[in-house]
Amino acid sequence: MSAVRTGLVPLVLVACFAQAALAQPAPTTAGKRLFDARCGICHGRGGTGSFMLAKRLGQDKALLAERSDLSADYVKAIVRNGILSMPGLTRGELADTELEVIAAYLERPASERTARPVEAPK
Ligand code: HEC
């Protein structure tokens, strides 16, 4: 009688694949860092920006970093002009180059998370 044993090998293989899946680099860490530093005080969890957006637009729109509906142009316009209780930031307060990086960071999830297939040509 040959004893069939379930060895450790399959388990180890599964662990390796899981590891590979988790090892993907987080995109745009520079954008996240800048956003956290320059906007995070109001747009982090518990910030006034998050609070006001939750009130005005709903809880699912409260955290800018988790939204998938923001375009870079919209973000840039808001940051320069302000909106309601958010004061606009001048170029002296936030350089254009920094704003570009932040706007790209906030826009990024739209292409990645919005489960919308590429539009078919008409
Ligand atoms: C002093 C606090 C404060 C800072 C700093 C701040 N915001 Fe805001 N922001 C707000 C508030 C408050 C609102 C919500 C205004 C309202 O709806 O009443 C808001 C709204 C917004 C909106 C509008 C979202 C929408 O759906 O209409 C965007 C975009 C935004 N902020 C981006 C930024 C970015 C990017 C930064 C950093 C460069 C930033 N904000 C820094 C307070 C702040």
Side-chain angles (χ1 to χ4, degrees):
M1 183 168 112
S2 63
V4 179
R5 294 186 177 204
T6 47
L8 274 176
V9 174
L11 265 183
V12 170
L13 279 178
V14 166
C16 286
F17 282 122
Q19 191 78 42
L22 287 173
Q24 292 185 357
T28 58
T29 43
K32 181 183 178 348
R33 231 181 298 121
L34 264 179
F35 174 77
D36 288 349
R38 305 308 306 272
C39 325
I41 188 148
C42 294
H43 287 290
R45 255 170 236 287
T48 48
S50 304
F51 178 77
M52 295 306 287
L53 288 173
K55 257 179 67 169
R56 183 163 66 87
L57 302 174
Q59 195 57 49
D60 59 321
K61 302 263 195 273
L63 290 171
L64 294 183
E66 292 183 0
R67 283 172 59 172
S68 57
D69 62 331
L70 295 170
S71 76
D73 284 343
Y74 181 72
V75 171
K76 286 188 271 187
I78 298 288
V79 169
R80 286 300 177 223
N81 301 314
I83 179 172
L84 299 169
S85 47
M86 171 178 163
L89 298 174
T90 65
R91 289 185 167 78
E93 290 166 320
L94 182 75
D96 276 340
T97 48
E98 291 183 308
L99 179 52
E100 288 289 342
V101 174
I102 290 171
Y105 164 67
L106 290 178
E107 181 182 57
R108 167 189 52 83
S111 55
E112 288 179 7
R113 288 193 213 162
T114 304
R116 195 191 303 144
V118 176
E119 212 167 305
K122 296 203 171 102

